[in-house]
Amino acid sequence: MNTADLGLPVDVPSTALFTDQYELTMLQAALKAGTAERRSVFEVFTRRLPHGRRYGVVAGTGRVLDAIENFRFDEGVIGFLRERGIVDEETLKWLSGYRFSGDVWGYPEGEVYFPGSPILRVEGSFAECVLLETVILSILNHDSAIAAAASRMASAAGDRPLIEMGARRTHELAAVAASRAAYVGGFATTSDLAAGFRYGIPTVGTSAHAFTLLHDRERDAFQAQVESLGRGTTLLVDTYDVAEAVRTAVEVAGPELGAVRIDSGDLLLVAHRVRQQLDELGATGTKIVVTSDLDEYAIASLAAAPVDAYGVGTQLVTGSGHPTCSMVYKLVARADSADPAAPMVPVAKKSSGGKVSVGGRKWAARRLDRDGVAEAEVVGTGPVPGELAGQQLLVRLVEDGDVVAREPLDVTRDRHIAARAALPLSATQLSRGEPVLPTEYAQGLSGS
């Protein structure tokens, strides 16, 4: 069973209003001007990575494909637009039959990217492509920011698994998307059942401090949990006195106790003390899980601690200080008339303030050194140089309006692990620095 097909209240009948009004008013004006049907190419890219980051992570591609399929102006949506007078009747008639019929190419989900990378390329008529700007950017900017934070945390954690537990720290619908993006970035499980149901992500969870406080004694709480969930459960040991709680936990569950969780205090010091105590009590196989406002830096600081898993919430779902990737959706080429055979013309915005774009329908490839390590992101137009033909990054996602590249979430997660491993070692350093790969522009292009 594909749980993504079951749907949840997190899904909506149409994504057509996940947009900005100017996209519809541009459509109306283009229809009147006779330019709406000109073939066009839009690209998603970012001019810079968040300050200090070494690479970005493409996430949300699968959700973008869902959004494009569900971009429909049904009767309720048309009625809303008519009532508000947002566009005229001619435009409403056009919208009522909207179906994206173009092509989409993009970096496969889980791949890494750099400034100027053409992360997504949308091709079709101006009318059908321009409407998708906001929904595409809202998904990619959010999910890629979460995945980038998750990737940094996963690098810091090494072989120790990470638990996503940030649902209570963000919007209830964003939480589901954040859990998905975190999984792409390297997290192993989530506490969010909606994410587990919608995307098949493994779910975990046992108890909070409230459960201990509910009972007259901590021992009673532990006994109740073990009787309900078995000796392999995880007991929360920092409600009162950690040392006493660990002793009680082992007495109740025996040396088969699955894990203890520490949610406060000096985690480095407490973890060492708890590990020593568990070993002395014979619970040598009992694992230690730590939570408490962790980020990639806190996780890295615990590398030498006897910790077996990390639970991360707030910092993950807020992108660890960078909740967006500043991706933009720009027209880079268009036909000089509505004739299907009309030649394509590169176009680009020219302005001051660092917002210059690069025109032309682009390809991207990652050049490798003799050891197979990435050394540059190469972006160009026209023919792809022969030496880069086998290193191209964009794949077809939608062909003639039909999605052709859906894939299991585990595939995207594995892809990211492989893509990150192919970068220079400095990519995983947490110290601030420049992008680990330079972006080189071929075929006479120059990037800003």
Side-chain angles (χ1 to χ4, degrees):
M1 178 181 65
N2 183 357
T3 55
D5 292 336
L6 295 177
L8 267 185
V10 299
D11 289 331
V12 293
S14 168
T15 53
L17 292 183
F18 289 170
T19 189
D20 290 304
Q21 181 168 313
Y22 79 163
E23 289 162 21
L24 272 66
T25 53
M26 281 192 287
L27 168 65
Q28 177 176 301
L31 288 170
K32 289 183 179 299
T35 54
E37 295 306 317
R38 288 188 175 187
R39 289 182 297 123
S40 300
V41 179
F42 286 82
E43 289 177 351
V44 175
F45 62 93
T46 184
R47 297 183 176 94
R48 62 192 65 84
L49 298 180
H51 181 62
R53 294 287 173 89
R54 305 297 181 93
Y55 61 91
V57 180
V58 178
T61 308
R63 297 207 307 121
V64 166
L65 299 179
D66 291 341
I68 292 173
E69 280 192 335
N70 292 324
F71 206 90
R72 302 283 187 270
F73 291 84
D74 56 28
E75 290 184 7
V77 171
I78 293 293
F80 165 78
L81 297 175
R82 178 179 290 116
E83 178 185 342
R84 295 292 182 94
I86 291 172
V87 290
D88 61 21
E89 286 298 323
E90 179 185 352
T91 306
L92 291 176
K93 181 179 179 181
W94 189 94
L95 290 172
S96 66
Y98 180 88
R99 298 290 187 275
F100 180 75
S101 63
D103 298 334
V104 179
W105 293 73
Y107 280 38
E109 190 161 16
E111 184 57 84
V112 297
Y113 70 87
F114 299 91
S117 297
I119 296 163
L120 199 75
R121 189 172 72 221
V122 182
E123 305 179 20
S125 71
F126 175 83
E128 61 182 341
C129 294
V130 73
L131 297 180
L132 299 175
E133 175 184 0
T134 300
V135 70
I136 286 176
L137 288 179
S138 65
I139 293 171
L140 292 180
N141 269 313
H142 174 269
D143 289 22
S144 297
I146 305 305
S151 178
R152 285 163 60 86
M153 293 172 186
S155 292
D159 294 332
R160 298 170 178 177
L162 291 158
I163 306 163
E164 185 280 310
M165 48 195 303
R168 65 191 63 194
R169 300 296 189 230
T170 189
H171 186 281
E172 67 272 17
L173 303 187
V176 182
S179 180
R180 182 187 183 280
Y183 192 73
V184 171
F187 273 58
T189 54
T190 179
S191 65
D192 191 329
L193 291 178
F197 179 76
R198 180 71 177 84
Y199 297 115
I201 301 170
T203 58
V204 296
T206 52
S207 68
H209 293 101
F211 186 75
T212 300
L213 296 170
L214 170 68
H215 293 81
D216 297 333
R217 299 183 305 164
E218 191 170 46
R219 178 181 295 273
D220 296 338
F222 289 173
Q223 188 68 50
Q225 184 174 328
V226 169
E227 289 178 357
S228 175
L229 302 177
R231 296 177 185 274
T233 191
T234 299
L235 296 176
L236 182 57
V237 295
D238 72 331
T239 306
Y240 304 118
D241 179 85
V242 173
E244 181 60 31
V246 170
R247 185 178 302 109
T248 302
V250 176
E251 289 176 359
V252 169
E256 300 84 14
L257 174 62
V260 295
R261 178 163 73 95
I262 306 167
D263 189 51
S264 59
D266 183 336
L267 297 178
L268 178 62
L269 175 62
V270 176
H272 277 288
R273 288 177 175 174
V274 168
R275 181 73 270 160
Q276 181 179 352
Q277 186 180 11
L278 286 169
D279 291 346
E280 290 173 350
L281 293 170
T284 56
T286 299
K287 299 183 181 301
I288 297 175
V289 180
V290 296
T291 52
S292 184
D293 292 328
L294 299 178
D295 61 10
E296 59 266 48
Y297 301 100
I299 291 169
S301 73
L302 293 168
V307 172
D308 298 285
Y310 306 92
V312 190
T314 303
Q315 291 301 317
L316 175 65
V317 299
T318 56
S320 195
H322 298 287
T324 182
C325 301
S326 299
M327 293 179 186
V328 294
Y329 183 92
K330 296 297 181 182
L331 180 67
V332 297
R334 50 86 175 165
D336 59 11
S337 76
D339 185 340
M344 299 294 287
V345 180
V347 295
K349 175 182 178 179
K350 295 182 179 180
S351 68
S352 60
K355 286 193 172 183
V356 177
S357 299
V358 180
R361 181 182 186 272
K362 301 175 194 67
W363 51 262
R366 190 160 298 145
R367 191 173 68 237
L368 308 179
D369 65 17
R370 66 182 62 186
D371 297 318
V373 178
E375 64 177 10
E377 193 90 338
V378 185
V379 177
T381 60
V384 180
E387 66 272 17
L388 295 175
Q391 305 300 328
Q392 293 188 73
L393 292 164
L394 279 78
V395 299
R396 191 188 292 272
L397 302 172
V398 177
E399 183 174 9
D400 296 331
D402 295 324
V403 173
V404 295
R406 277 205 174 85
E407 54 191 1
L409 204 55
D410 283 333
V411 171
T412 68
R413 187 173 184 269
D414 291 343
R415 177 182 294 121
H416 175 62
I417 293 171
R420 188 178 63 206
L423 295 176
L425 288 176
S426 57
T428 58
Q429 292 179 342
L430 295 182
S431 57
R432 296 188 184 279
E434 296 301 311
V436 72
L437 295 186
T439 302
E440 298 178 359
Y441 291 89
Q443 306 295 333
L445 295 179
S446 59
S448 297

